[in-house]
Amino acid sequence: QDGHSLWLQHKTPKSVTIICAKKSPTLSIAIQELKEGWQGKADATVTLTIPKNKTIGFDGFKLTENTIEANSDNGILYGVYELLRRQQTQEAITGEVNNPSYEMRILNHWDNPDGSVERGYAGNSIFWRNNDALVVTEQDKKLWQEYARANASIGINGTVLNNVNASPLILTADYLNRVKAIAEVLRPYGIKVYLSVKFSSPALLAKLKTSDPLNTEVIEWWKAKVKEIYSIIPDFGGLLVKASSEGQPGPQDFGRTHADGANMLADALKPFGGIVMWRAFVYSPNDKDRAKQAYNEFIPLDGKFRDNVIIQVKNGPIDFQPREPFSALFGAMKNTSVMPEFQITQEYLGHAIHLVFLSPMWEECLQSDTYQEGEGSTVARCTDGSIFKQKHTAIAGVANIGLDSNWCGNDFAQANWYAFGRLAWNVNLKSQQIADEWLKLTFYNAASNETSATNYATEWANNFLLPVRQMMLDSREAAVNYMTPLGLHHIMAANEHYGPQPWWAPKDWRPDWTPPYYHQASKDGIGFNRTTTGSDAVGQYHEPLASQLNNPKNCPEKFLLWFHHLPWNYSMKNGRTLWDELCYRYDSGVQQVRSFQKTWDKAQPYVDSVRFIAVQQNLRMQCRNAILWKDACLLYFQQFSQMPIPFHIERPVHNLDDIIKNDRRNY
Ligand code: BDP
């Protein structure tokens, strides 16, 4: 068991007859999946029908025990996977219509043409290798098919094949031919391909004098390029663009706006039904508060984008931190389509080493109330079309997938891929249900005979499912505790973003790329003042939220130091000083990981040895790293607080000097 089969473990099927009047490659897959996975009544007959039912949406379906109804072949396929999942997890099949929350449910791969993966911790790219090795092998196709199947089984219907820091190479003929081959394997599984493009491609590839989006030659070049793409890949999804962001070229290089740039590409894509996903991840070193910049840049452009442009907004205003408040752009851009971007790969959450189930973090963001259109204007409802009549709705997740045999580097990181797909399909699913499903599908091996199967199922649920599920559900809060409790953020090591480095601030370096910019620790206290007396980032939120966040007594403590700079002896709700509370939080993060180790060791009888040992070793590394985080942050901040670490708490085991000296070699 090397984890390669993900949540699609092979189970011996019972016999089933399938009736389906129509034929297509997608329906053939649907039929084959039913035959190979059927766990319902033996000798049942299942009918697949496409009757054009108005209540069923485009990808949606309606299930009974013996029928799957949908309006499209893809809908049937999703219905099949849902039926099989319910059989395996023993959930009831209830007959209601099941429509996806978002029209486009997309993975973003940060894969480079040389095969490396930016922020990838699971080996090299499954799509690209060595720049010129573009020949498609049978092995490539097999892997892409497995990938497509895994995605379809959780409802993902789009994938961006290359890094947002895009190489212009991707638009050259050889690369497009490989994209075509990938698209052919993915198509029957209902998955469209998209590409990230570099905004200066016209100048870089065609030697045009400019890449100005208002220049006629540039416009014509993009039109011709898009036409070429569609002649090769007729159902191509569209383009993802990181422009005028972190040194990437963009419309601002030519004195144009993000709308000018996005609309130029949107016009080229429009005749073919393609979309532009234009990222709002922008900030410059000049402004005083990075957290405010995307909002300031994009709000004046609201309503100026074509209807096939979607603004792709990271969940928080800074950058995929263990905890951030939601980005103030959600709900505030009322006349433009907006899509959330999550990061499935754990760049800031312990890479593929730490066990961190991200579903609670995404749930927290999606269910946050923006109040933009009254109470209940959650981020989910502001982006899924419930509140604003967006022409398109979408959600993206930065993939954690690579060539490692278990795809994600850590067996538990597979749960994050799974959770992203499930939440993209149903934005109201609860993390507990997602964890439950994933554990049952991934780890449950039924005993062979019926009587022992029943006993085993109960034993398995009590001894494995419940404790391991609880570990998953607690794991994100644990990571927040030992890394960045109480609203701290971006204090991790520069570049790698793995270990702690709150002190790191070389002279002549951009301050907004150093931790002290974010924690602002000094003798008088800690935290970033984003209130009305500070940067006034609170002012970007809608009332009553703005006032609530502005007052430290009302601000949720999980965001306290995000919005406030407070003295070390500030009194918390539980009566502790801020300093003591910080110490307790770091310590409880470590204690939580300690308890995860115990939970996992107890789970050993229920797990195959390969996965058991791999997870056990990762937990050991996670625990060492959590202790390092605690010691580094507490000893570093103690230099400012000058207060003792409460005596109930385990003493540090590292010296700050040694940690700083060894710095990146600590893990
Ligand atoms: C940052 C990553 C960087 C990405 C950037 C982005 O460190 O590698 O290129 O996000 O999203 O968090 O564009």
Side-chain angles (χ1 to χ4, degrees), residues 110 118-119 165 242 246 279 281 314 319 347-348:
W110 285 359
E118 182 153 342
R119 311 305 177 184
N165 296 318
K242 172 176 179 178
E246 292 191 329
R279 294 176 92 229
F281 179 61
K314 289 188 182 183
D319 196 358
E347 174 180 354
Y348 295 96

Side-chain angles (χ1 to χ4, degrees), residues 386-521:
S386 310
I387 293 183
F388 304 111
K389 293 296 154 222
Q390 308 193 169
K391 169 118 184 190
H392 296 289
T393 62
I395 186 165
V398 179
N400 61 350
I401 296 160
L403 282 175
D404 277 7
S405 56
N406 72 2
W407 301 90
C408 301
N410 183 328
D411 290 290
F412 274 84
Q414 298 176 353
N416 293 329
W417 177 7
Y418 183 85
F420 172 74
R422 297 291 287 135
L423 280 171
W425 184 277
N426 180 354
V427 87
N428 294 316
L429 276 184
K430 298 277 168 283
S431 297
Q432 173 161 323
Q433 182 184 335
I434 297 174
D436 203 88
E437 287 176 7
W438 180 78
L439 284 167
K440 287 177 179 165
L441 298 169
T442 307
F443 285 105
Y444 186 67
N445 291 305
S448 49
N449 86 51
E450 297 274 331
T451 338
S452 58
T454 320
N455 295 337
Y456 182 78
T458 318
E459 182 191 318
W460 184 84
N462 290 334
N463 297 348
F464 182 85
L465 179 66
L466 298 183
V468 176
R469 186 178 77 190
Q470 197 55 48
M471 165 174 81
M472 289 174 75
L473 293 172
D474 293 342
S475 60
R476 185 273 186 138
E477 205 59 46
V480 170
N481 282 336
Y482 62 72
M483 288 181 179
T484 53
L486 299 176
L488 288 173
H489 51 288
H490 228 307
I491 57 174
M492 35 287 285
N495 306 321
E496 290 95 337
H497 299 158
Y498 181 74
Q501 232 181 23
W503 49 82
W504 194 78
K507 289 196 185 64
D508 311 326
W509 193 247
R510 274 178 65 161
D512 60 336
W513 281 350
T514 69
Y517 171 94
Y518 298 97
H519 63 63
Q520 303 273 320

Side-chain angles (χ1 to χ4, degrees), residues 84-93 440 444 457:
L84 293 176
R85 171 171 33 247
R86 292 200 184 201
Q87 288 179 349
Q88 260 187 272
T89 57
Q90 297 185 323
E91 267 180 78
I93 295 161
K440 287 177 179 165
Y444 186 67

Side-chain angles (χ1 to χ4, degrees), residues 100 221 599:
W221 186 85
T599 301

Side-chain angles (χ1 to χ4, degrees), residues 77-98:
L77 185 61
Y78 296 132
V80 165
Y81 286 121
E82 180 67 23
L83 184 61
L84 293 176
R85 171 171 33 247
R86 292 200 184 201
Q87 288 179 349
Q88 260 187 272
T89 57
Q90 297 185 323
E91 267 180 78
I93 295 161
T94 41
E96 77 278 15
V97 172
N98 192 332

